[in-house]
Amino acid sequence: MYYSTTCSSPVGMLTLASDGNNLTGLWIEGQKYHGNTMAGEMVENKEIPVFERTRKWLDNYFAGGKPAVSEIPLAPAGGEFRQEVWKILCQIPYGSVITYGDIAKLIAEKRNRPGMSGQAVGGAVGHNPISIIIPCHRVVGSNGSLTGYAAGIDKKIQLLKLEGVDMSSSLFVPKKGTAI
């Protein structure tokens, strides 16, 4: 059984999910793939301790703090490849961005392969079930395009600005393809 609750944030209403001990989901209202990794029924229960820890983490984050991903016990549901991608996302520092291609290169090197598909990485990034905390918003296209955020490009920009990313440099909003 999974538990859920909601909380408000500067980017909209958030839904949190837990297995009772770990955070298993965090979705922004209207986000693509909202709740799709939950294998069981979700019962509303705001009293789960990890929800209180997550609210405090989010309050710190939205106040401009830089809380560590490790402060919250996370258990996102996904296959080995997705888990590998999400682990890399957790290592992207605040105020930084990385490209889908860079992540593909890191995985290819780790697996001792000549290459890896950036599109496969994009699929894993787009299906991240724990938005904000697993910072998929820090991933951009190889040309600097702010593409691929399932909660919407406006939310991606808002989160990057909050974290101090220089938005005036080479980052831009593409004319098409703003969500995976």
Side-chain angles (χ1 to χ4, degrees):
M1 175 173 306
Y2 291 95
Y3 304 95
S4 69
T5 191
T6 58
C7 63
S8 62
S9 81
V11 293
M13 190 60 70
L14 305 177
T15 299
L16 310 178
S18 171
D19 59 11
N21 297 307
N22 305 290
L23 189 69
T24 57
L26 190 163
W27 301 276
I28 300 169
E29 186 175 26
Q31 179 175 333
K32 197 172 182 180
Y33 313 118
H34 190 284
N36 76 331
T37 57
M38 299 291 94
E41 180 184 352
M42 284 201 293
V43 176
E44 189 167 338
N45 183 343
K46 64 182 179 181
E47 302 303 321
I48 304 297
V50 74
F51 291 157
E52 182 58 30
R53 288 175 69 180
T54 302
R55 284 186 202 93
K56 288 179 181 176
W57 192 101
L58 291 165
D59 287 347
N60 182 6
Y61 174 80
F62 285 115
K66 294 179 167 70
V69 172
S70 61
E71 291 178 25
I72 306 292
L74 303 177
E80 181 182 340
F81 179 74
R82 287 184 178 180
Q83 295 288 340
E84 198 170 356
V85 170
W86 300 335
K87 187 175 182 179
I88 291 170
L89 297 181
C90 291
Q91 298 167 1
I92 306 167
Y94 283 96
S96 299
V97 295
I98 189 171
T99 69
Y100 297 95
D102 290 337
I103 294 171
K105 287 177 191 171
L106 290 170
I107 292 173
E109 288 172 14
K110 182 178 177 188
R111 293 182 172 193
N112 201 23
R113 292 186 179 173
M116 176 67 59
S117 166
Q119 287 180 322
V121 168
V125 171
H127 285 85
N128 168 24
I130 304 179
S131 295
I132 303 171
I133 295 174
I134 297 178
C136 54
H137 57 278
R138 296 180 192 155
V139 184
V140 300
S142 60
N143 61 356
S145 63
L146 296 171
T147 187
Y149 196 57
I153 198 72
D154 58 327
K155 305 286 193 291
K156 183 172 190 157
I157 291 169
Q158 193 174 350
L159 295 170
L160 291 174
K161 283 181 177 179
L162 174 71
E163 294 180 6
V165 171
D166 180 5
M167 302 300 290
S168 65
S169 62
S170 60
L171 300 177
F172 67 95
V173 176
K175 301 239 186 270
K176 291 184 181 180
T178 59
I180 290 179

